[in-house]
Amino acid sequence: MRDPRARLIVPALAAVGESVPLSPQEVAHAHARRLRVGDSVLLSDGSGRTAVSEIVRLSRREAIVRVRKIVPGLSGGIPVSLYLAGLRPERLAWAVEKATELGAARIVIVASDRTQSFRAAAGLVPRLERVARESSKQCERSDWPTVAGPVDLESVLGDESSEHRLFLDSEGDRFPRRMAAAPSALLVGPEGGWTDDERERAVKRGWKVVGLPAGLLRAETAAIAALVLLRSAAAERS
């Protein structure tokens, strides 16, 4: 067998020695990778575990793989929740793709005062979930972030309990260079920015208002830049 390279998604990992069928989408992916019977592949179900498996049947419409070994999941570092105000669908998809690559544990679409309603629609979530799963293959991540929303801002401000809660705003303090390695949350606003009232409510709820050294950025760019800075700040402190 060739070394396992292709990562495929299944609803749930089977036990060692058992077989599992692939979905039509994953069958297509197997063909796109030019896999064949006997090839070794990696299976993921989002749990963080990986199943080293072997293709035992492959046709145009069907694929069966048998699990040979289960590899426990490795810690992906501190859990980070990314709260992102609704954007254009293609820009949200880009942000979800990159946030998955950077190890975000959760992505939640937020409806703010300046978010247009169609940009915070629940119908966007299934597409964004697919983006997260596909991105996990590309970056060889054995899990992927949950995607949820839309959630109103007040619920986010009051319900989020991470030790570090950062409210991204161009008028905020300097982004921290060092942070204790602890569960964290990032809240990124819409294209028009936060209102004064939203900023004041965040401060009252215990969120720290911080800005980026690059200044004013598009929302999806700011979200990814903040994720990188947060990871770096936690690494400096650990």
Side-chain angles (χ1 to χ4, degrees), residues 18-38:
E18 294 184 354
S19 298
V20 58
L22 298 181
S23 68
Q25 293 81 6
E26 297 306 293
V27 172
H29 183 66
H31 285 296
R33 292 294 300 267
R34 300 190 178 187
L35 300 175
R36 56 180 182 263
V37 172

Side-chain angles (χ1 to χ4, degrees), residues 39-117:
D39 279 349
S40 187
V41 296
L42 303 175
L43 300 182
S44 298
D45 64 355
S47 66
R49 300 179 303 152
T50 298
V52 180
S53 308
E54 176 187 357
I55 297 177
V56 296
R57 185 186 307 168
L58 181 62
S59 66
R60 181 175 296 181
R61 297 183 178 181
E62 182 187 33
I64 305 293
V65 293
R66 180 179 295 123
V67 175
R68 295 195 288 113
K69 180 174 66 174
I70 300 291
V71 180
L74 299 176
S75 173
I78 61 172
V80 178
S81 296
L82 173 62
Y83 293 94
L84 184 58
L87 304 170
R88 294 177 183 173
E90 67 274 12
R91 291 166 61 188
L92 272 178
W94 183 88
V96 168
E97 177 184 88
K98 301 310 174 187
T100 300
E101 294 176 14
L102 290 168
R106 186 166 60 131
I107 302 170
V108 181
I109 309 305
V110 179
S112 69
D113 288 348
R114 290 174 175 165
T115 301
Q116 293 174 301
S117 59

